[in-house]
Amino acid sequence: MGYNFQEIEQKWQQNWAESKTFQASNSSDKPKYYILDMFPYPSGAGLHVGHPLGYIASDIYARYKRHTGFNVLHPQGYDSFGLPAEQYAIQTGQHPELTTRTNIARYREQLDRLGFSFDWSREVRTSDPNFYRWTQWIFLQLFHSYYDKNEDKAKLITDLITVFEQEGNLNVQAECATSTAAFTAKDWNSFSEEQQQLILLDYRLTYISETEVNWCAELGTVLANDEIVNGVSERGGFPVTKKKMKQWSMRIGAYAERLLQGLETIDWPESLKEMQRNWIGKSVGALVRFPVENHGTSLEVFTTRPDTLFGVTFMTLAPELDLVQEITTPEQKEAVDAYIERTTQRTERDRMADVKTISGVFTGAYAIHPLTQERIPIWIGDYVLAGYGTGAVMAVPCGDQRDYAFAKHFAIPIKNIFADTDISEEAYSDKNAGVKLQDSGFLNGLEYTEAMTTVIAHLEKTQTGEGTINYRLRDAIFSRQRYWGEPIPMYYKNGLPVPLEEKHLPLELPKVENYLPTADGAPPLGNATEWAWDTQKEKVVSNDLIDQEIIFPLEMNTMPGWAGSSWYFYRYMDATNADSFVSKEAAAYWQDVDLYLGGSEHATGHLLYSRFWQKFLFDQGHLPVEEYAKKLINQGMILGSSAFVYRKKGTQQYLSKGLIDGEEVEPIRVDVSLVNASNELDCEALKKWQPQFSEASFVLEAEVYNVGREVEKMSKSKYNVVNPDQICEDFGADTLRMYEMFLGPIEQAKPWNTAGMSGVYSFLKKTWKLFLPANELFVSEENPSPESLKTLHQTIKKVTEDIENFSFNTCISAFMICVNELSAQKCNQRAILEPFTILLSPFAPHIAEELWSLLGHKGSISQVDFPVFDEKFLVESTKNYPISFNGKMRFTRELALDLSAKEIEKIILADEQTQEQLQGRTPKKVIVVPGKIINIVG
RNA sequence: GCCUUGGUGGCGGAACUGGUAGACGCGCUGGAUUCAAAAUCCAGUUCUUUCGGGAGUGUGGGUUCGAUUCCCACCCAAGGUACCA
């Protein structure tokens, strides 16, 4: 019979499910360990071989941790809100919930087949009302909070109201909209309810504002910056334009500094931390005020180089700035208006396309230099962005390349304030020590660092500016014009948003007939007939009943994809709690995620937003820690290898790969299952695959049609998806698990190929044969030989170290060596085979369970203690004498310390083994380095 | 451009704090077994060679008795980011 993986795997998967082997408890004498995977979006294409990569790795680690005495939480769920299900609904009219359910069932089936040790009793789905009621609840908490800059934490908005009533906002240090005006307690108390609410909206951590958004007309929705790639939508590749809309936003900017600082406390990959740092984009510099000539106002600019203040020869404003209209002189008005008109018409895409083109217009106005009182011309130019800093820059052409190019282009004077530098070709933008300032008043002779502190001190003393810190991170837009997402629990009374109360959650998604935006441009929820809030009956009622007194329209936007995923990892701790998103006790027990595994593509999305919510919920006392994931590992994607056929233009003739040179052909992707491992196409199968190929004729080379290959992301639309089911069928889950780990380091992206599968498969067969050489268990109770013990303990050492380091590919090599050696030793002692089975069980759990039970054990192997490495079994044959010889010879450190070169030479010549290796030759040179190793050059 | 990571046989990839480069697997070659094939087992496999050797970890330098590993400069690839003042 041999190794019957199908029977074994089915048997143990069933056994685990029935005995609830992997259910975690929320209390235990053992230390806790929480290992988390990024939960999948259940797409219609099903699971492909890339998905399980991370899950296999985390499963190995979770199983290892159970073996080493931890109470392990290893849950799984589904990020089940999302655009694809909605797109599918638009096309087919099927409710997204229905398709999502079907997809989840399929995912579950595929996941189960791989033998994961998930605790499914804690499964979560973000689209489940029992889950999203808590997403909505967190949204309300954010709405009821503001950020106090003095205490550097989020506080309740009711506290802020108390302050306003007593002393107005004059002393309030809080994150708020830039437009918020100052008011006294008296003012506040005289404001109408409506005015008060509008002011509070400027302070809330989630707020409504008119924002310029990335609008994608084809998708009918707003996109976040990270959903846009190269100026087109990540999904579908549709054009994106700017549009002003009323949107919910999250004040993530309030947490910029803490998000940055927090990175120092967590063990995440350096590259990912760097990405987040860049995204937050902290710059230290100064705000400088330039009074505008003949105007009451002054122009405020942000600069990272206040030391170059004396080098300013012009100012540039972003064309969108309101101030531009105010200060433009009548003579320049026409030119300025024309320029503004031109820039607004240009889409983001156009603007990116010609970064090199320099454009701008003089406004006719002048600013007064705060230190020299010189008149500085004010220009506008679209290289200045309205959304960063103050939307205005002081231009120092000698020190900034963009300013330099602008000045050259418009023949504006350039003043060199850097002594002994050449700026005839380009600006001098380095901050090197040694370069002294000149022509810079009281800064003359100073270098960068000194000049910075001196000038900032001076600005602050003369009240013309101050040192400041600026962040690139913008507030996150939270509204989506989509159906398949969490409804925002708000209704509108007199145009102002009013939150629902906690007891009214969840606010469930209404039924709609049509998932597209309405004819008048409202989001899909505008199609719902039952989408109004009755404040008396406290329930959702029909839109027809809306009046101005008690029944109001509900918010029609839904939440973005990252809402549910920003906190789901706490729900696993207490998945069925109906009273809170997680109980205090469960959160106190599990605390945080010890190890989080997922792709780096979420670096500036999910992984940043979730840290933000975490800090907020921590501030409000709902969670015990400020960072939720101690350690994070990025697993690399498994890429697909797409296959191409080449159609001769305008014909039904397909040329083999080697024949396309010099021909006009169009490459067409074909399903990879139609191609064999040597890139040969099954032509008959292709004809049947799609109607467009039914009339195809093939031009072969050497009797076969060779396809072209290209490595790219695995995706249904690229026909390069390889699905794990067939591999489980042919080789078994244990082989697939080990093979995916054997493919290479976990962090690395790698193309999928099945070429090496047979190696892993034959390893498992050899393992089986080691226990059952003649289809029957053959195990002796004798004491094992020293060599077998040595092999075992070497393997224990290597496997333990490699698991701890997540170096699973080398770990599997160690297993292969071990089995080869034990086979060669004809080892069949229980004392060796039993520990070996435990070592193997995290990787190949099914075969390990089977062998464990064959060895006569009752119960699952999964909780058995992991074998411990014992050095005494490693026979120290190499202790005092040459480890080996190959032109060089190595001694232990102790020996090298004690002996001189001459003495060592004597030992070498006296040693029989060495003599043999030297084959009669005498060493030419002996090099002794005290405390190190000795080289003998033969 | 900037930031991050990486560059080792025909291929995927090993090599701990500098110490026998190429572990392990695939592929390939030869052999055993078989009527034959599959499966299995054994041996070989960086390149080069006049069989003594010689060269070799992207390129060029440097430090060291000794460098894939450390330092400098450059080239290339992947991912991120971009008129961010």
Side-chain angles (χ1 to χ4, degrees):
Chain A
M1 251 315 265
Y3 168 44
N4 186 343
F5 54 84
Q6 286 193 352
E7 197 178 288
I8 292 170
E9 288 175 2
Q10 210 185 357
K11 169 177 160 190
W12 286 104
Q13 282 162 16
Q14 207 175 336
N15 183 304
W16 294 329
E18 281 165 7
S19 336
K20 302 189 187 342
T21 311
F22 303 114
Q23 232 171 64
S25 158
N26 274 11
S27 65
S28 166
D29 303 336
K30 299 174 180 176
K32 69 100 188 181
Y33 199 89
Y34 182 3
I35 175 160
L36 177 72
D37 291 297
M38 285 185 187
F39 58 169
Y41 172 79
S43 88
L47 209 64
H48 61 65
V49 289
H51 284 111
L53 186 76
Y55 304 154
I56 295 168
S58 64
D59 195 60
I60 290 170
Y61 203 69
R63 285 172 179 273
Y64 167 73
K65 280 288 175 186
R66 286 194 196 94
H67 283 301
T68 49
F70 286 86
N71 183 28
V72 171
L73 175 57
H74 184 39
Q76 189 57 286
Y78 305 95
D79 189 11
S80 46
F81 271 135
L83 203 48
E86 181 160 331
Q87 295 276 303
Y88 191 73
I90 290 168
Q91 287 159 21
T92 64
Q94 271 203 58
H95 196 287
E97 175 164 0
L98 207 76
T99 49
T100 301
R101 238 175 238 287
T102 317
N103 292 347
I104 287 178
R106 168 115 174 88
Y107 265 61
R108 177 63 191 275
E109 204 180 293
Q110 288 182 299
L111 287 170
D112 280 348
R113 236 186 138 169
L114 292 169
F116 292 125
S117 64
F118 294 129
D119 178 355
W120 284 108
S121 71
R122 296 167 182 262
E123 181 195 313
V124 302
R125 301 178 184 190
T126 54
S127 63
D128 181 341
N130 288 323
F131 181 91
Y132 70 66
R133 84 180 267 193
W134 297 111
T135 312
Q136 293 173 333
W137 179 83
I138 295 171
F139 179 88
L140 290 183
Q141 305 310 304
L142 283 153
F143 182 79
H144 292 309
S145 304
Y146 77 104
Y147 198 84
D148 185 321
K149 286 198 216 173
N150 278 338
E151 290 184 39
D152 217 2
K153 63 180 277 197
K155 291 171 70 179
L156 291 178
I157 203 94
T158 46
D159 295 349
L160 189 65
I161 295 171
T162 315
V163 176
F164 285 172
E165 282 165 355
Q166 284 163 8
E167 48 186 278
N169 72 348
L170 304 172
N171 297 317
V172 170
Q173 291 284 316
E175 287 289 336
C176 66
T178 45
S179 55
T180 312
F183 55 83
T184 63
K186 206 173 151 200
D187 294 338
W188 173 260
N189 293 319
S190 69
F191 291 151
S192 68
E193 167 75 21
E194 199 182 322
Q195 280 172 311
Q196 288 183 344
Q197 285 304 324
L198 275 171
I199 290 167
L200 288 175
L201 210 45
D202 284 346
Y203 286 86
R204 295 178 191 275
L205 284 179
T206 179
Y207 59 95
I208 280 191
S209 67
E210 178 115 315
T211 19
E212 201 159 75
V213 296
N214 305 303
W215 174 254
C216 180
E218 272 78 359
L219 294 174
T221 189
V222 163
L223 298 174
N225 281 331
D226 43 300
E227 289 170 308
I228 302 167
V229 178
N230 296 328
V232 296
S233 64
E234 188 179 25
R235 208 192 128 71
F238 301 117
V240 177
T241 53
K242 290 273 176 202
K243 184 180 174 185
K244 281 211 166 181
M245 278 183 96
K246 280 216 162 165
Q247 299 278 322
W248 286 98
S249 290
M250 293 264 167
R251 223 178 272 293
I252 187 172
Y255 283 88
E257 187 61 34
R258 283 170 66 190
L259 287 168
L260 199 61
Q261 296 300 327
L263 290 174
E264 305 304 322
T265 67
I266 47 181
D267 180 11
W268 287 22
E270 193 45 45
S271 59
L272 194 138
K273 285 191 191 182
E274 197 60 32
M275 267 189 239
Q276 292 208 344
R277 281 190 203 109
N278 291 341
W279 196 259
I280 295 167
K282 179 180 183 173
S283 355
V284 180
L287 275 176
V288 187
R289 279 181 287 278
F290 288 71
V292 181
E293 191 184 53
N294 303 328
H295 275 267
T297 56
S298 62
L299 206 59
E300 201 165 54
V301 300
F302 172 75
T303 174
T304 53
R305 296 295 302 275
D307 60 308
T308 64
L309 194 49
F310 286 93
V312 175
T313 57
F314 63 100
M315 315 281 291
T316 316
L317 309 186
E320 296 92 332
L321 236 54
D322 295 338
L323 190 70
V324 174
Q325 301 298 334
E326 257 177 70
I327 61 169
T328 302
T329 58
E331 304 83 67
Q332 291 296 323
K333 190 157 178 27
E334 201 177 317
V336 166
D337 285 347
Y339 183 73
I340 294 172
E341 178 67 25
R342 217 162 56 230
T343 42
T344 44
Q345 273 175 5
R346 296 212 304 171
T347 62
E348 188 93 330
R349 204 179 179 182
D350 299 335
R351 241 163 124 163
M352 290 218 303
D354 59 0
V355 200
K356 301 265 169 346
T357 320
I358 295 158
S359 70
V361 178
F362 179 46
T363 61
Y366 287 86
I368 304 298
H369 193 291
L371 303 182
T372 65
Q373 316 304 322
E374 279 171 303
R375 291 174 83 223
I376 313 282
I378 303 173
W379 290 66
I380 59 173
D382 67 2
Y383 79 96
V384 177
L385 305 175
Y388 182 77
T390 60
V393 300
M394 59 176 225
V396 183
C398 68
D400 183 287
Q401 192 51 42
R402 288 156 308 169
D403 297 344
Y404 185 89
F406 196 89
K408 281 267 169 179
H409 190 260
F410 292 108
I412 302 169
I414 297 173
K415 174 181 170 189
N416 190 2
I417 54 162
F418 300 108
D420 307 320
T421 54
D422 176 21
I423 58 156
S424 57
E425 289 301 321
E426 54 175 20
Y428 180 81
S429 52
D430 298 343
K431 303 171 187 172
N432 293 344
V435 174
K436 293 185 163 54
L437 289 170
Q438 62 181 12
D439 230 340
S440 292
F442 62 89
L443 299 176
N444 276 342
L446 297 183
E447 290 175 10
Y448 169 72
T449 324
E450 296 166 288
M452 284 287 282
T453 44
T454 313
V455 75
I456 289 173
H458 186 268
L459 288 170
E460 286 176 357
K461 203 174 74 192
T462 57
Q463 302 216 330
T464 45
E466 63 261 339
T468 187
I469 294 167
N470 208 11
Y471 298 93
R472 197 190 79 117
L473 183 69
R474 320 263 180 94
D475 282 350
I477 293 166
F478 200 69
S479 298
R480 293 292 184 276
Q481 292 68 46
R482 291 180 189 163
Y483 174 76
W484 192 230
E486 299 87 345
I488 293 173
M490 290 278 168
Y491 61 87
Y492 287 87
K493 186 175 173 182
N494 306 324
L496 275 175
V498 183
L500 294 189
E501 288 172 49
E502 282 175 26
K503 63 179 178 192
H504 297 137
L505 302 181
L507 173 63
E508 291 198 36
L509 263 176
K511 292 215 162 27
V512 293
E513 291 299 315
N514 181 353
Y515 302 96
L516 284 167
T518 64
D520 51 355
L525 290 191
N527 294 317
T529 49
E530 296 258 326
W531 200 238
W533 184 254
D534 185 322
T535 51
Q536 267 179 2
K537 290 185 189 153
E538 303 191 330
K539 62 173 207 174
V540 176
V541 295
S542 164
N543 295 356
D544 301 339
L545 302 173
I546 291 175
D547 60 42
Q548 297 306 307
E549 302 297 318
I550 53 166
I551 298 174
F552 303 101
L554 279 156
E555 168 70 58
M556 285 192 262
N557 285 293
T558 53
M559 300 190 195
W562 53 269
S565 61
S566 290
W567 73 278
Y568 73 107
F569 34 87
Y570 274 96
R571 191 63 182 167
Y572 286 133
M573 295 178 184
D574 197 10
T576 53
N577 193 327
D579 302 320
S580 76
F581 74 108
V582 57
S583 73
K584 281 262 188 313
E585 299 74 46
Y589 177 72
W590 292 107
Q591 291 274 322
D592 55 7
V593 175
D594 293 277
L595 180 68
Y596 195 11
L597 245 107
S600 61
E601 64 270 24
H602 299 108
T604 53
H606 160 62
L607 288 173
L608 198 59
Y609 297 130
S610 53
R611 291 182 59 223
F612 158 46
W613 280 28
Q614 177 76 20
K615 285 179 189 299
F616 166 71
L617 290 167
F618 170 78
D619 283 354
Q620 296 287 16
H622 298 300
L623 292 176
V625 291
E626 207 176 324
E627 292 287 346
Y628 71 88
K630 284 207 221 29
K631 184 177 168 73
L632 181 127
I633 293 179
N634 286 132
Q635 95 271 22
M637 240 188 294
I638 288 196
L639 303 167
S641 169
S642 307
F644 289 87
V645 294
Y646 303 92
R647 180 166 61 197
K648 204 168 169 181
K649 266 229 162 87
T651 68
Q652 279 298 318
Q653 245 190 9
Y654 292 83
L655 304 181
S656 181
K657 174 84 196 303
L659 307 170
I660 58 171
D661 265 359
E663 300 280 351
E664 263 201 58
V665 292
E666 33 189 346
I668 302 168
R669 281 196 187 80
V670 299
D671 199 297
V672 286
S673 63
L674 306 174
V675 182
N676 72 8
S678 349
N679 294 336
E680 291 159 8
L681 178 73
D682 182 341
C683 300
E684 288 310 306
L686 179 70
K687 285 185 181 176
K688 285 182 205 132
W689 180 55
Q690 278 184 353
Q692 63 161 321
F693 299 107
S694 55
E695 299 299 312
S697 71
F698 300 92
V699 185
L700 309 178
E701 44 179 339
E703 314 264 305
V704 293
Y705 187 97
N706 293 315
V707 297
R709 288 282 192 171
E710 206 170 297
V711 171
E712 45 190 1
K713 207 169 153 173
M714 226 180 239
S715 142
K716 194 182 178 185
S717 62
K718 296 188 169 83
Y719 304 116
N720 61 359
V721 170
V722 182
N723 156 313
D725 300 351
Q726 193 58 45
I727 294 163
C728 283
E729 196 72 31
D730 297 345
F731 297 96
D734 284 339
T735 300
L736 179 65
R737 287 169 64 107
M738 291 197 92
Y739 180 62
E740 289 215 10
M741 292 300 102
F742 191 57
L743 224 43
I746 195 86
E747 309 88 352
Q748 222 167 78
K750 51 218 152 220
W752 177 255
N753 76 80
T754 51
M757 190 86 69
S758 63
V760 176
Y761 184 53
S762 59
F763 158 75
L764 287 173
K765 282 193 288 190
K766 275 184 216 168
T767 305
W768 185 259
K769 251 176 107 173
L770 184 63
F771 287 73
L772 299 91
N775 290 331
E776 207 173 304
L777 190 73
F778 179 65
V779 173
S780 87
E781 305 296 329
E782 296 161 17
N783 288 333
S785 68
E787 342 162 60
S788 296
L789 279 166
K790 184 178 168 185
T791 302
L792 174 70
H793 281 270
Q794 264 172 352
T795 310
I796 295 173
K797 186 168 185 234
K798 180 84 176 126
V799 167
T800 312
E801 282 171 5
D802 282 348
I803 294 180
E804 294 282 3
N805 296 326
F806 263 77
S807 178
F808 296 138
N809 54 333
T810 55
C811 192
I812 290 168
S813 298
F815 279 122
M816 291 173 170
I817 295 169
C818 182
V819 166
N820 282 340
E821 285 184 9
L822 292 180
S823 304
Q825 293 160 14
K826 305 228 182 310
C827 171
N828 72 336
Q829 294 85 22
R830 177 178 289 274
I832 303 289
L833 297 182
E834 216 158 70
F836 174 80
T837 313
I838 304 167
L839 285 183
L840 186 63
S841 91
F843 293 85
H846 308 91
I847 190 174
E849 288 278 20
E850 181 68 15
L851 294 172
W852 189 248
S853 90
L854 286 174
L855 285 166
H857 296 278
K858 297 263 180 293
S860 168
I861 193 174
S862 61
Q863 300 285 347
V864 178
D865 284 347
F866 214 59
V868 179
F869 163 63
D870 190 340
E871 197 163 0
K872 77 172 181 246
F873 294 112
L874 297 195
V875 186
E876 287 290 310
S877 61
T878 58
K879 197 152 197 178
N880 291 316
Y881 261 83
I883 289 161
S884 68
F885 183 87
N886 189 3
K888 289 174 183 174
M889 180 183 262
R890 208 161 59 155
F891 281 83
T892 56
R893 196 164 284 201
E894 295 74 23
L895 199 64
L897 270 171
D898 289 353
L899 304 178
S900 72
K902 276 281 164 226
E903 285 170 309
I904 287 167
E905 206 170 354
K906 275 186 213 161
I907 295 172
I908 295 161
L909 296 173
D911 182 65
E912 269 176 46
Q913 195 193 343
T914 313
Q915 280 303 324
E916 216 170 279
Q917 286 169 326
L918 279 168
Q919 294 169 338
R921 283 174 284 135
T922 44
K924 282 179 190 156
K925 200 166 128 200
V926 179
I927 304 149
V928 179
V929 182
K932 289 207 172 172
I933 307 288
I934 306 159
N935 288 340
I936 293 117
V937 184

